Amino acid sequence: CDPRGLSFNMLSYLPLLAIAIFFLTPLVMLTIRAVRPNFAYHWLVAALGALAAWPVVALTRLELPNVLPLASWQVEDQFAGSLNLLVDATSWPFGVAIATLVLAVILTVVARQQAPNWRAWAGSLTLGGFGLLAVWAGNLLTLAMAWAALDLVEMLILFVHLRQGAARERVVVAFSARIGGILLLVWALMTIRSMGGDITFDAIPPQVGLYLLLAAGLRLGVLPLHVPFLQELPMRRGLGTSLRLVPAAASLPLLARVAETGVPAATIPYLLAFTALAALVGGGLWAFSADELNGRPFWILGMAALAVAAASLSLPEASIAWGITLIFSGGLLFLYSLRTRFLAALTILGLITASALPFTPLWVGTQLYRSQMPLYLIPVFAIAHALLLAGYFHHLARPIVPSDRVERWIWVIYPLGLMLLPVTLVVAQLSGWMSHPPEFAFTPEWWGGAAAVGGAALLWVVARRGPRLPQRVTTILAGLLSFQWLYRVVWGVYQFLGQLLAYLTLILEGEGGLLWAMVLLVVIVSLAMSLRMGG
């Protein structure tokens, strides 16, 4: 046989192999748990699975673009099409981000896990598999199904770890935004079908691109501004980080796809105004949060808003840069639990990669400050970026608390898990999305990052010497912006209607049910006759 042809076929199926490893490893862990309940090496199985999948995901870079058919889907004419994967220069960085994040989560868990929790490790791996399906989705139909599967798995994981009924109700109500994003995606799919177009990403008309931008923005909390998951989870750093960042990563590639096709020009000023507000609010609440875990939803909101703004201006490379920096730099800080001076110097790399200084991974993201941006919004986005950097340094510089005695092997595994994130980001930058890096000249692409760093330093000095914003104020603002009050109102109305319906059913099913039915019939007929005579 031809070795070159064999190599080509093997490279083409690497995405399926990576996804299979993410799904099979939790299945192996579950099988071992059923056969040997006292098995003590579940972490080793999870680490080997994540470690095997990570280079496979990285090697998919050798075959770009790679379209891999999965199945044919035929429900109705509007939903006819094939399910396939697409690994290209747009989706590859996000696949690497998810694989690296899951591996880092499992490696760093050794420094903070009090009791073995194989369910959490299996949950992170499962989320990684569905996250890869979403970021590598080859068309709108595949993406809609991957989003739905990812949301279902995330909800099941939350239900396993949240025992209180009130907490579960909040989860269900908060997922309404995710469902809204899927519905917008389905609406865009049906619109394309009615126009006789194709559901692939390279054939999206601008008017449909607006629906897709709103779908991704809704799932990220940017359009409209909301933070559906304000309260943090019991599993904070390990599985909690996967639950926060993997679903966000699943929506970010769609922004880059929309940036390639564009949106109607008349909607751009409104989109930029809403995203500027979301970026400013997210950056401010992130900077004033008590710690990085409580502020995690606002980091995601602020960085995602900047990615949405870049997509609105048809800047795909800038949107990718903001999106993967959200995952890599955020993941590094959220997993930084064992704090020492050496590791603090290591995690400074996360701050540098998010600075957008020249030749850093986020440098291309400063294309956001180009002339297409309205002048009055440029300072808003620059201040939002400065707030995100100031908050990052603030949470990074928290006092180092002496930890208990740590075994020597942990000092090898834990720093390796942290170092994996910034190093992989730099490698992805060198081999990924920057096909046209900015030129080193006195342009907005050059001074944008420097202005953000200078603004962050100024904000840091003012915050240190000036009056501090009371924690109660930030809590109230966060509660208002999370729209939890709106969810409670909607849920209260739903419960009231349910109780009213149950009461009416009880009345009509009693001994006087026939009499009450006749009374209601007379009232309805009387109202109808009155309306007719009045008309």
Side-chain angles (χ1 to χ4, degrees), residues 230-300:
L230 179 62
Q231 296 182 350
E232 268 304 317
L233 306 173
M235 49 287 181
R236 290 167 66 80
R237 290 199 184 268
L239 180 59
T241 299
S242 299
L243 285 168
R244 289 292 184 259
L245 294 183
V246 172
S251 301
L252 291 169
L254 183 60
L255 296 176
R257 306 288 187 192
V258 173
E260 294 172 356
T261 60
V263 296
T267 64
I268 293 178
Y270 303 100
L271 293 173
L272 291 177
F274 282 113
T275 53
L277 176 62
L280 193 62
V281 169
L285 292 177
W286 161 253
F288 287 102
S289 296
D291 55 55
E292 67 275 9
L293 296 183
N294 289 316
R296 183 160 49 191
F298 308 117
W299 165 264
I300 296 174

Side-chain angles (χ1 to χ4, degrees), residues 287-288 387 390 394 456-469:
F288 287 102
L387 285 169
H394 167 66
L458 179 62
L459 290 170
W460 172 255
V461 172
V462 172
R464 293 274 293 183
R465 297 184 178 181
R468 296 187 62 85
L469 191 65

Side-chain angles (χ1 to χ4, degrees), residues 507-531:
I507 291 177
L508 294 176
E509 290 180 352
E511 295 180 356
L514 181 60
L515 179 61
W516 279 108
M518 294 180 63
V519 171
L520 290 175
L521 179 61
V522 171
V523 171
I524 293 173
V525 172
S526 300
L527 288 175
M529 293 181 64
S530 299
L531 292 174

